Amino acid sequence: MHSDQILNFIYENKPIRIDILITKLTNLSRKNAENLILQKKVLIDNNFVLKKNQIVKTGQKVKIFNDYQAPKISLKPIKMELEIVFQNENILLINKPKNLVVHPGIGNWDNTLLNGIISYFEADLLRNDHIRPGIIHRLDKDTTGLILVAKNVAAHNFFANQLAKREIKRFYKAIVVGKVLHKMMKINLPIARDLKNPLKKTISFFNAKPAITHVKLVKNFIYQNQNLSLVKCQLETGRTHQIRVHLAHIGFPIYGDPIYGQKVDKLGQRLHAYKIIFTDLDGKRCEFRADLPSEFDIAF
């Protein structure tokens, strides 16, 4: 079993039923959470959980062996409005809106960006039993901006290789809480799963992956009597939640981030992938941009 399928942490929130906790941490259904329990794959304080309604208390150690395998599926085309920034015979570049999950997964097989993509055009790469076909990189649900999609196997392999070599350059803009004083920063801190909350990532030097983010200050400003800053970020690596974790760790959480900062409204975190640079299959160097969404208006 892969390490990312094992959740091992100290529970530090309010008491909760174990089956409900499993669904929150894994996106499994209550029935599949119960199956994990029946298969003796869930432990509390090193004892097997025997009942789905057992209560997990604050301070207890929880271990979940989540080796549930989702059934292979045929991706369902769902018609949706997509903002196409650019496309040719190999790629599709989309400006993703807020509140849209990129990949299908347990609990949400249909209402994702990928379902909208396969509705938009016919592509064998996107009509198979894989869950992440065609998608070269990802954005969080509430992060807006540019996503690169391959239309065929040759393009997918080409761009996946380019991404692995860090040759695809991705740039973000973010509004952060606090007055950033440094014009330029390089955050070089490894990221791992948060042992206290498996839904989060954290800075760690144990079982962590290298992560580097370059940050440039654009401007400081005040909004609703609060010091905020607009910054540009360039990813050198691409870890899950990387920019959010790095900025929060140095004391500048992204404005509206409900996990690493504080929820302020229904618009979520102010994080936007505004620019991408890559080389196309014909050797041409390409650069594309996406305008900031309206929730960034508070910075201007």
Side-chain angles (χ1 to χ4, degrees):
M1 185 183 299
H2 298 296
S3 60
D4 60 357
Q5 292 177 298
I6 303 175
L7 306 182
N8 191 5
F9 59 97
I10 303 296
Y11 183 70
E12 293 191 347
N13 294 306
K14 295 180 180 178
I16 188 174
R17 279 176 53 142
I18 185 62
D19 58 341
I20 296 176
L21 178 61
I22 293 171
T23 61
K24 289 180 178 294
L25 297 178
T26 65
N27 288 324
L28 292 177
S29 67
R30 292 277 285 275
K31 181 63 178 176
N32 288 323
E34 182 181 357
N35 287 337
L36 283 183
I37 294 170
L38 293 174
Q39 294 168 16
K40 293 188 175 180
K41 293 180 178 179
V42 183
L43 297 89
I44 296 178
D45 288 339
N46 295 321
N47 296 312
F48 289 114
V49 174
L50 302 177
K51 299 184 296 182
K52 65 180 181 180
N53 62 348
Q54 183 170 336
I55 301 298
V56 184
K57 299 178 181 178
T58 305
Q60 289 189 307
K61 183 178 180 180
V62 179
K63 193 168 188 177
I64 303 169
F65 296 89
N66 178 25
D67 57 357
Y68 173 80
Q69 296 295 320
K72 289 187 176 182
I73 62 165
S74 295
L75 294 173
K76 181 180 179 181
I78 300 293
K79 194 168 185 178
M80 63 178 65
E81 293 293 327
L82 296 176
E83 183 180 343
I84 308 300
V85 177
F86 174 81
Q87 68 172 314
N88 58 24
E89 67 276 11
N90 294 311
I91 61 173
L92 185 68
L93 194 62
I94 295 172
N95 186 14
K96 187 186 85 68
K98 188 175 292 292
N99 199 32
L100 180 62
V101 175
V102 173
H103 306 111
I106 297 168
N108 185 7
W109 294 114
D110 297 334
N111 297 310
T112 74
L113 177 64
L114 192 51
N115 297 106
I117 291 171
I118 63 173
S119 174
Y120 180 78
F121 70 96
E122 297 288 335
D124 291 337
L125 181 64
L126 297 172
R127 290 182 177 276
N128 55 29
D129 290 329
H130 298 293
I131 302 305
R132 296 183 179 179
I135 303 292
I136 304 302
H137 59 98
R138 61 187 177 185
L139 294 178
D140 296 334
K141 177 182 177 181
D142 287 332
T143 299
T144 56
L146 296 171
I147 282 191
L148 182 62
V149 182
K151 286 186 174 182
N152 53 64
V153 174
H156 185 271
N157 293 338
F158 178 84
F159 287 109
N161 181 61
Q162 200 173 146
L163 185 68
K165 292 181 178 180
R166 302 182 182 179
E167 294 173 351
I168 297 178
K169 306 300 181 182
R170 291 172 288 162
F171 302 83
Y172 294 71
K173 287 184 180 178
I175 295 175
V176 300
V177 178
K179 187 175 182 179
V180 176
L181 298 177
H182 294 88
K183 296 293 184 181
M184 305 284 290
M185 294 183 288
K186 178 181 179 180
I187 307 174
N188 185 357
L189 293 168
I191 292 176
R193 184 192 296 276
D194 190 327
L195 297 179
K196 296 180 180 180
N197 184 349
L199 292 177
K200 296 176 63 177
K201 301 294 181 180
T202 189
I203 302 302
S204 174
F205 294 90
F206 178 73
N207 286 338
K209 295 180 179 179
I212 300 173
T213 306
H214 299 273
V215 182
K216 180 180 180 180
L217 175 65
V218 177
K219 64 182 296 189
N220 302 122
F221 65 99
I222 296 176
Y223 177 70
Q224 294 183 344
N225 297 318
Q226 185 176 22
N227 283 316
L228 302 176
S229 301
L230 178 65
V231 298
K232 292 181 180 179
C233 300
Q234 181 185 354
L235 290 177
E236 189 168 320
T237 56
R239 309 304 177 197
T240 301
H241 297 178
Q242 178 174 317
I243 293 175
R244 298 164 66 189
V245 173
H246 272 173
L247 289 174
H249 184 78
I250 65 171
F252 299 105
I254 293 178
Y255 183 71
D257 188 336
I259 296 179
Y260 300 100
Q262 183 176 359
K263 180 179 179 180
V264 294
D265 51 33
K266 295 181 180 180
L267 298 177
Q269 66 221 23
R270 271 48 168 201
L271 181 61
H272 178 70
Y274 80 98
K275 183 169 72 170
I276 188 169
I277 302 174
F278 57 88
T279 301
D280 206 346
L281 273 72
D282 59 5
K284 181 181 178 182
R285 194 66 171 163
C286 302
E287 177 178 330
F288 295 96
R289 296 173 181 253
D291 292 337
L292 289 170
S294 59
E295 54 263 33
F296 276 75
D297 289 350
I298 62 173
F300 302 99

